[in-house]
Amino acid sequence: MAVTTPPRRKPSLYDGERRLALLMLSPAALLLLCFLLIPFFMAFGLSLTNQRLISPNPTEIIGLGNYRELLDVRFFPLAPRLDPDTNAPLRDAEGNLVYPAVREILRADPETRFFRELAQIDLFGTRYLIAASDATFWRALANTFMFALIVVPLQTAFALMLAMLVNQKLRGMNFFRTVYFSPVVTTMAIVSVLWFFMYNPDFGLINSLLGVVGLGPFRWLEDPRSALFSIIILSIWQGVGFQMVIFLAGLQEIPQELYEAAQIDGAGRWRQFTNVTLPSLRNTTIFVVISTTILAFKLFVQVDVMTFGTGGPFDSTATTILHLVNQGYRQQRVGYASAISVIFVLIVLVISVLQRRVLTNREV
Amino acid sequence: MNRKFWVALSALALIFGAFGTGIVAAQSPTVVTVWFHSGQGAERDALTAILDRYNASQSVYRAEATQLPEGSYNDQVNAAAVANALPCLLDFDGPNVYNYAWAGYLIPLDDYLAQVPDLAADIIPSIIQQGTYQDKLWSIGTFDSGLAIWGNKKMLEAANVRIPTSIEDAWTLDEFNAALEALRAVVPADGYPLDLKMNYGAGEWFTYGFSPILQSFGGDLIDRTDFQSADGTINGEAAVAAMTWFQGLFKNGLTSATPEDDNVFKDGKAALSFVGHWVYPEYSAALGEDLVLLPMPKFGEKAATGMGSWNWGITSTCAAKDGAWDLLKFLLAADNVKAFADASGAVPALTSVLEADARYAEGGALNIYFQQLVGGVAVPRPQTPAYPVITRAFAQAVDEIAKGGDVQTALDKAADTIDRDIANNNGYAPRN
């Protein structure tokens, strides 16, 4: 998602230069218009309809129906089941209160007929059921944020570490640079297939290696607790080389005199890193963080390949884009998928703007 | 734009226009575009050879074929339909035909087939059954599928397990359970009794392969009286019992949700392999005389198995519909049906070819498939435009159940997904 911010000070251009500027801007502006703005407005228009991918039925305008189906979340206070004889609350073998089956409650009202449970929480002594019209969407959103929250800092830190490693002036360093960069040029689909085999709980390379030191076996992709984590590891492995190269370029831009001056002032390696390297890499870091964030939010290919498009087990690896593709293509609900995409664009837009604010406002 | 530009453009248009008329004047054959899924190697080669023969055999039409990967085939067909870029003739996995026909991008084949009564009479009933929706025939397959259990005879004998030879004496559920337990002792330490081809992943295989277990237990994917609701059927008592038994296979180590690769049975690490006809060439090459085909067990009252396979349809946007039919007729010629069946182990779609094939005759290696297809064991997948959603919902439930999820919850979710989709499509009311 490209975000254009207006320049802070209006540059004074002569007439001719202004025309030249507009001319040079026009190809990019035209592309943005055709492939970003127009599709976005088309998606917004479609999101107000029940447009299907293929259907003999005419498309109807349904207003905010798609958004309601997508975003509707309701809270139900749950009353514990009572013993029909004594009217005292029933308790299970462990002494916990017994609550009625969620599906029965939801199906009692035609409006919440297709809702699914998101969670149950205890508040002030009452049990509440949180149910969503599209539970998968909320899980997908939570997974996507979780993925970004873990991947962005980790991948940025790893990338910087690798960049500093391969920035050493040693023989054969180009070899290591190539090795660390090679996953980036490998297609994600292929990387995903390879890691799928490596994650096999019984025969995979990873469990075999861990088995040597007495760990495991882990059910990486089969266990809902570790499935997203498994996707995170492979994503960082695949993506880190790209950020490494950007950091490497940033590192090589730093004038050597700064380090010499710091050494004369008595700075050790750590002080040199925190007081010379990091501040000099400020703009590089901003770029890396923002681009990694946007890439993280677009998480799709790995999950689609490794879970056969299910986002499973139990929505534990569902992501916003996967849900969008599943709804729009595989369930042919173009109108509904458009609503997802509009919400998604708004979320990413807000995050990008916030990030820019936070990262660029501090003057060095 | 200046004048020079327009002059140059006009000149270009003239040149290409001239070439264009030249091509038309040369009376080249009418192109019939064909899409097919790139399946197993032997199937693919056989089909390519048949298409080459077609092009060499006549000069009125020329088949131009494109192979597309199987995994996302349905997505690609839908995308092409939206973009008005469908080919003339395409193949698709059987039960998608109802959705395609409902959406209106196939033409009925009844009139064409009526022109060749000999062919119409020769096509086996299950093929016609599968291609029919709203009383019209929308697609024809050149082969049908067979689903049963492949057995390793040596291991079965070592474990003292009875080997049934007809659909009448198929194993009962208790016998099947006992056989699996007995086979534990004869498979190697890194193996297991039953291979379920879980490595195919959550896709059409899960529905094709495992919905017969539901049906044999007395459940189904959807209530077939009006195809309006799955609730109470896919998540009903019988279906839950079926999938609970299914989950037990994984919990008890009788099978694996994460097989090492596709070769578990061939490598002698599994005694039974629950999979369709398409593995026959490789399995018979690997096991030879030790390969036996066992009928589907009777989990409940009666056995059930899958049927239907990839079949061909002609698109409504095709400019050369007669050419597409001509090619389809060629694909259905006895020699070609035989060539394809020989390569893949599939059940040939013509009675004449089927009866002449020793493999399907009594005592033949694939006779069980024949018995299941004509003996009422085979059940078509639900004949409704909602099928694409049904199969995805069920496959996801199978995936969750195999990974240890709660059976009732997984099937409830599938029921809700299906019913919601049907409601969203106004019950998939037929066109007009």
Side-chain angles (χ1 to χ4, degrees), chain A residues 52 54 103 107 133 200 314, chain B residues 103 231 259 392 405 416 420 425:
Chain A
R52 305 251 320 161
I54 307 283
R103 197 157 180 267
R107 289 168 65 88
S133 164
N200 184 304
F314 319 108
Chain B
D231 189 49
R392 279 188 58 76
D416 287 346
R420 191 177 219 171
N425 285 283

Side-chain angles (χ1 to χ4, degrees), chain B residues 5 71 158 165 168 173 223 232 242 253 265 298 324 422:
Chain B
F5 174 81
T165 55
E168 282 82 31
L173 178 58
D223 179 356
F265 181 74
K298 292 175 193 162
I422 293 173

Side-chain angles (χ1 to χ4, degrees), chain A residues 147 151 155 181-197 199 230-243 295-296 298-307:
Chain A
F147 181 84
V151 163
Q155 191 165 325
F181 193 69
S182 59
V184 178
V185 291
T186 313
T187 314
M188 186 50 111
I190 294 169
V191 170
S192 306
V193 171
L194 290 177
W195 279 73
F196 181 79
F197 289 122
Y199 275 136
S230 311
I231 303 268
I232 287 174
I233 297 176
L234 113 95
S235 304
I236 293 180
W237 178 83
Q238 198 268 348
V240 74
F242 179 67
Q243 279 84 353
L295 284 175
K298 293 204 294 198
L299 174 63
F300 169 69
V301 177
Q302 301 93 300
V303 181
D304 192 48
V305 172
M306 297 177 87
T307 71

Side-chain angles (χ1 to χ4, degrees), chain A residues 37-210:
Chain A
L37 280 177
I38 293 178
F40 177 75
F41 286 112
M42 280 173 69
F44 182 70
L46 284 171
S47 74
L48 303 175
T49 71
N50 66 353
Q51 173 76 46
R52 305 251 320 161
L53 192 61
I54 307 283
S55 172
N57 298 330
T59 301
E60 290 159 20
I61 293 176
I62 55 167
L64 296 175
N66 285 325
Y67 292 96
R68 198 175 309 123
E69 184 179 335
L70 184 64
L71 302 172
D72 201 350
V73 177
R74 301 196 187 184
F75 297 79
F76 298 83
L78 290 182
R81 278 221 161 115
L82 300 177
D83 190 317
D85 300 327
T86 61
N87 251 6
L90 279 171
R91 286 179 189 277
D92 64 11
E94 283 146 31
N96 297 316
L97 291 167
V98 180
Y99 290 94
V102 167
R103 197 157 180 267
E104 282 168 31
I105 299 170
L106 295 174
R107 289 168 65 88
D109 180 354
E111 263 197 40
T112 57
R113 160 86 179 73
F114 294 119
F115 279 47
R116 271 198 298 133
E117 173 180 333
L118 267 185
Q120 292 191 24
I121 47 164
D122 287 307
L123 265 184
F124 312 116
T126 311
R127 169 75 60 100
Y128 286 92
L129 161 70
I130 309 173
S133 164
D134 187 349
T136 304
F137 171 72
W138 293 102
R139 297 240 163 80
L141 209 56
N143 289 338
T144 309
F145 272 95
M146 173 72 91
F147 181 84
L149 274 175
I150 297 180
V151 163
V152 174
L154 268 186
Q155 191 165 325
T156 308
F158 274 134
L160 180 57
M161 211 176 75
L162 283 180
M164 297 188 53
L165 267 179
V166 298
N167 197 30
Q168 313 288 320
K169 288 188 178 50
L170 294 174
R171 277 190 59 192
M173 204 39 89
N174 274 336
F175 171 74
F176 287 101
R177 288 178 189 173
T178 313
V179 166
Y180 295 141
F181 193 69
S182 59
V184 178
V185 291
T186 313
T187 314
M188 186 50 111
I190 294 169
V191 170
S192 306
V193 171
L194 290 177
W195 279 73
F196 181 79
F197 289 122
M198 281 164 47
Y199 275 136
N200 184 304
D202 305 314
F203 308 96
L205 185 68
I206 295 176
N207 271 358
S208 303
L209 286 177
L210 290 176

Side-chain angles (χ1 to χ4, degrees), chain B residues 61-291:
Chain B
Y61 303 110
R62 195 161 54 83
E64 275 187 4
T66 309
Q67 293 182 38
L68 300 169
E70 183 173 343
S72 55
Y73 192 80
N74 196 27
D75 295 348
Q76 296 177 66
V77 170
N78 282 330
V82 175
N84 243 332
L86 281 174
C88 265
L89 183 68
L90 78 160
D91 81 339
F92 40 82
D93 206 351
N96 287 322
V97 67
Y98 319 116
N99 188 272
Y100 295 173
W102 171 76
Y105 56 80
L106 294 180
I107 58 163
L109 304 175
D110 304 80
D111 292 346
Y112 280 123
L113 194 58
Q115 295 165 10
V116 273
D118 288 352
L119 174 63
D122 202 13
I123 296 175
I124 60 174
S126 62
I127 290 290
I128 301 293
Q129 192 184 355
Q130 174 183 242
T132 303
Y133 170 69
Q134 299 289 332
D135 300 324
K136 288 200 179 89
L137 182 70
W138 302 89
S139 70
I140 305 176
T142 62
F143 58 93
D144 209 320
S145 63
L147 171 67
I149 300 176
W150 296 101
N152 183 322
K153 203 185 203 169
K154 244 185 217 146
M155 290 184 176
L156 290 166
E157 282 169 354
N160 262 326
V161 172
R162 180 179 74 88
I163 299 177
T165 55
S166 78
I167 55 171
E168 282 82 31
D169 66 350
W171 288 331
T172 60
L173 178 58
D174 289 342
E175 252 185 303
F176 189 28
N177 283 333
L180 290 172
E181 285 301 332
L183 287 166
R184 248 191 233 275
V186 298
V187 291
D190 60 345
Y192 37 85
L194 179 65
D195 167 32
L196 287 174
K197 289 287 180 196
M198 295 303 286
N199 53 303
Y200 288 172
E204 189 56 36
W205 162 243
F206 281 16
T207 310
Y208 172 79
F210 306 136
S211 63
I213 300 178
L214 288 191
Q215 288 146 3
S216 186
F217 266 88
D220 206 343
L221 294 170
I222 186 169
D223 179 356
R224 295 198 194 210
T225 50
D226 56 2
F227 294 104
Q228 291 299 306
S229 175
D231 189 49
T233 307
I234 198 174
N235 57 348
E237 247 172 71
V240 172
M243 294 318 282
T244 307
W245 171 81
F246 181 76
Q247 188 174 54
L249 296 174
F250 299 90
K251 283 189 171 161
N252 301 324
L254 294 165
T255 187
S256 167
T258 49
E260 182 177 11
D261 52 31
D262 204 30
N263 304 327
V264 180
F265 181 74
K266 280 194 288 185
D267 293 347
K269 290 180 182 170
L272 300 171
S273 185
F274 184 110
V275 65
H277 67 260
W278 51 89
V279 295
Y280 174 62
E282 35 168 335
Y283 277 15
S284 69
L287 272 79
E289 290 296 303
D290 279 334
L291 183 69

